[in-house]
Amino acid sequence: MGPGGACWRGGGAGLRRWLSSRAPAPRICVVGSGPAGFYTAQHILKFLATGFLCSTPSCPAFLPEHHDLAQVDIYEKLPVPFGLVRFGVAPDHPEVKNVINTFTHTARSDRCAYYGNVTVGRDVTVGELQQAYHAVVLSYGAEDNRVLGIPGENLSGVYSARAFVGWYNGLPENRDLKPDLSCETALILGHGNVALDIARILLSPLDFLRKTDITDCSLAALACSKVKRVWLAGRRGPLQVAFTIKELREMINLPGTQPVLNPADFTGLENAVKDAPRPRKRLTELMIKTALEKHREKAVMAQAAVPRQWGLKFQRSPQEVLPTADGMRVRGVRMALTRLEGSGDSAKAVPTGDMEELECGLVLSSIGYRSLPLDPAVPFDTQHSIIPNNLGRVMGVPGLYCSGWVKRGPVGVIITTMNDSFDTAQSVLEDLQEGVLDVSVSKEGFGAVGSILRSRGIRPVSFSEWEKIDAAEVARGKAAGKPREKIVDPQEMLQLIGH
């Protein structure tokens, strides 16, 4: 049966060649060990392990003997795997990280190998990988952030959400960020789940955070934080927010904090969402309910009783980050007020001509991530920051594929990436079956790549070596009453495993 359940009639030229003799088994390479990389590898291995594309012995697509020879190798630039599951998921969302158990099962397969500490495009080129493998899948994600493109963006006190999240989650490149949390008011630009994650981390009681895998240095910085008010501003209105109801409910119920939502922002929206999809309807209803309830509570409650606040500001578009008198730090943001043209997700924010200034000492830009080109040999759409592809097949480069954010852009949650990666894996399997990928020619896989890396002084980290790093982190965390204490310095990781 094919991945969709239908039998692959006729077998295909490549498959017939493979069945006719003990031909070389497929060697497949995946670049990137985040969700996209692991889900792609998992799906390919699953079908190759069950008789290639069909589990029916009478079907020409059934491979009773050769499937166990197939090999998928995963390359990762960091010594440690799992990408955004490790470095992007909020520390207080451990249940989301359970997918690591599935990825670990895949990595421990005899037909899967992990090679960390290898930067594709620098240590080994994509062209060299193509020489060594029948198929190469690029799943390296989005390792940069979109910029605001406004004056003052580079002032001290302005950070990208990506860097801030990387800092509290132990991403090595952000370990020295040292954000200044000495102000009372922070402004987050964006209305997505990442924006809510950051707001929650800034305002969470320390006792909550101490029980998570947040890094020790960021926990110490948050313990000294003076931030007690967080605004989240977006260009459009309540019906266009990108965050989900789970994250909103967490913010609303955060102990010691009060939501500040203006009831006027939600006038007439109850009728507007009557026929909206259920998730959007429930999300909007929760915002309306919170705005009305908290507005009444605020009228009868002493301001001093609530030490911390957060709120949503709609139809505000940042125009300039305003500097302090010495020109060194942020003191606020000038915002253009907008009106909406159109409705629903396609509504566009158009400036009204009116402006307002919002005072703050900390600005976090959460307007999206973006992918970067990996190698001159790989086509790249700079406008959309993706690799041009058709169902994961890189345009104009046979044998090269992509999955995840570098394929479709930085949108969706882990389940979205899983489905997307399965689609790319299916394209690889179809091309194997149809003979687009010629498996009659032997490929050396890591045998060839390992020689290249050795000649360049690069020593890869194996999955069993990662498990030693993992065990050390868990032991350190246990001593502090945490799930783990992440090691944030790659050199320390490598020393720990004797590299």
Side-chain angles (χ1 to χ4, degrees):
M1 294 295 197
C7 183
W8 295 88
R9 295 185 183 90
L15 182 59
R16 284 194 294 273
R17 279 198 301 274
W18 198 11
L19 283 168
S20 64
S21 66
R22 289 301 295 238
R27 293 282 182 269
I28 298 163
C29 158
V30 175
V31 178
S33 70
F38 265 107
Y39 278 128
T40 302
Q42 176 189 319
H43 199 69
I44 290 170
L45 289 168
K46 174 185 173 184
F47 282 99
L48 290 175
T50 55
F52 195 53
L53 294 178
C54 187
S55 57
T56 306
S58 60
C59 173
F62 180 67
L63 297 180
E65 297 177 30
H66 304 73
H67 61 272
D68 59 335
L69 299 177
Q71 179 73 30
V72 176
D73 294 340
I74 300 173
Y75 291 88
E76 166 60 51
K77 70 173 184 175
L78 291 171
V80 296
F82 309 133
L84 277 185
V85 179
R86 177 179 168 97
F87 298 118
V89 174
D92 57 348
H93 284 176
E95 71 286 351
V96 181
K97 302 183 188 188
N98 288 339
V99 71
I100 284 175
N101 298 330
T102 304
F103 298 162
T104 297
H105 180 74
T106 299
R108 285 175 176 165
S109 162
D110 291 340
R111 296 177 300 108
C112 183
Y114 168 82
Y115 300 105
N117 197 40
V118 177
T119 301
V120 173
R122 185 192 69 189
D123 301 335
V124 59
T125 67
V126 170
E128 288 167 334
L129 291 177
Q130 287 180 286
Q131 289 293 313
Y133 292 91
H134 295 103
V136 175
V137 186
L138 303 175
S139 310
Y140 60 88
E143 50 191 355
D144 198 11
N145 54 275
R146 290 174 57 199
V147 296
L148 292 165
I150 61 174
E153 186 171 8
N154 296 319
L155 284 170
S156 178
V158 182
Y159 308 94
S160 72
R162 186 186 181 280
F164 193 77
V165 170
W167 168 71
Y168 66 64
N169 270 332
L171 184 62
E173 69 186 71
N174 302 127
R175 67 187 186 272
D176 297 322
L177 189 69
K178 295 182 175 64
D180 186 344
L181 307 178
S182 62
C183 64
E184 289 193 355
T185 302
L187 172 63
I188 301 172
L189 300 170
H191 278 166
N193 280 341
V194 173
L196 281 185
D197 281 347
I198 292 172
R200 199 176 63 253
I201 295 299
L202 282 171
L203 297 177
S204 282
L206 281 176
D207 285 346
F208 278 31
L209 296 178
R210 285 193 183 99
K211 298 169 187 170
T212 73
D213 67 359
I214 192 168
T215 61
D216 192 47
C217 66
S218 53
L219 188 61
L222 289 164
C224 300
S225 171
K226 299 285 194 297
V227 176
K228 63 180 184 181
R229 189 179 304 107
V230 178
W231 297 111
L232 298 96
R235 293 178 300 111
R236 301 192 294 170
L239 296 183
Q240 288 79 36
V241 296
F243 52 72
T244 50
I245 195 165
K246 175 183 177 290
E247 279 70 21
L248 177 64
R249 192 176 286 118
E250 280 181 317
M251 266 321 285
I252 291 168
N253 296 329
L254 192 64
T257 64
Q258 180 180 18
V260 181
L261 276 67
N262 185 352
D265 289 333
F266 302 92
T267 304
L269 292 192
E270 279 185 288
N271 287 331
V273 294
K274 274 184 178 174
D275 299 321
R278 189 166 179 267
R280 174 67 66 186
K281 184 169 184 273
R282 290 177 62 230
L283 178 63
T284 307
E285 286 171 348
L286 180 58
M287 284 191 284
I288 294 170
K289 178 172 179 278
T290 304
L292 296 174
E293 281 183 359
K294 299 302 176 183
H295 188 68
R296 285 193 293 268
E297 284 178 20
K298 191 177 173 183
V300 297
M301 201 162 114
Q303 194 74 10
V306 179
R308 297 182 171 190
Q309 293 180 323
W310 66 275
L312 301 172
K313 289 187 176 289
F314 301 103
Q315 294 177 234
R316 304 286 194 278
S317 178
Q319 301 300 299
E320 180 183 1
V321 180
L322 304 169
T324 50
D326 61 6
M328 300 298 291
R329 285 194 44 77
V330 56
R331 67 166 177 86
V333 176
R334 180 174 290 121
M335 316 279 278
L337 275 60
T338 67
R339 59 181 172 81
L340 296 186
E341 286 187 355
S343 60
D345 290 341
S346 61
K348 285 187 167 51
V350 179
T352 63
D354 294 326
M355 295 278 182
E356 72 173 21
E357 290 185 9
L358 198 154
E359 288 186 20
C360 58
L362 174 64
V363 176
L364 294 146
S365 171
S366 185
I367 58 169
Y369 292 19
R370 69 185 185 114
S371 297
L372 297 173
L374 184 72
D375 187 297
V378 181
F380 194 79
D381 179 344
T382 53
Q383 183 180 352
H384 299 101
S385 297
I386 58 170
I387 295 172
N389 69 92
N390 179 18
L391 300 176
R393 298 175 177 93
V394 175
M395 306 289 275
V397 190
L400 193 61
Y401 304 81
C402 57
S403 68
W405 282 4
V406 76
K407 170 187 172 185
R408 70 178 193 281
V411 292
V413 292
I414 289 177
I415 190 78
T416 323
T417 296
M418 181 186 78
N419 291 328
D420 168 89
S421 302
F422 285 179
D423 288 344
T424 292
Q426 182 167 330
S427 292
V428 175
L429 292 166
E430 287 175 4
D431 289 353
L432 279 169
Q433 190 265 340
E434 293 294 335
V436 176
L437 298 173
D438 185 3
V439 293
S440 66
V441 178
S442 178
K443 298 273 190 173
E444 289 185 63
F446 183 74
V449 175
S451 298
I452 292 170
L453 294 175
R454 278 192 298 277
S455 73
R456 292 170 186 167
I458 305 299
R459 190 171 172 186
V461 172
S462 68
F463 198 77
S464 61
E465 288 173 322
W466 144 247
E467 291 186 312
K468 290 177 184 175
I469 297 169
D470 178 46
E473 290 186 342
V474 170
R476 293 181 189 187
K478 188 175 181 182
K482 301 169 64 176
R484 74 173 60 239
E485 185 58 61
K486 289 177 185 170
I487 298 170
V488 298
D489 183 353
Q491 287 307 312
E492 185 182 349
M493 296 175 188
L494 296 177
Q495 286 169 8
L496 195 145
I497 55 175
H499 275 221

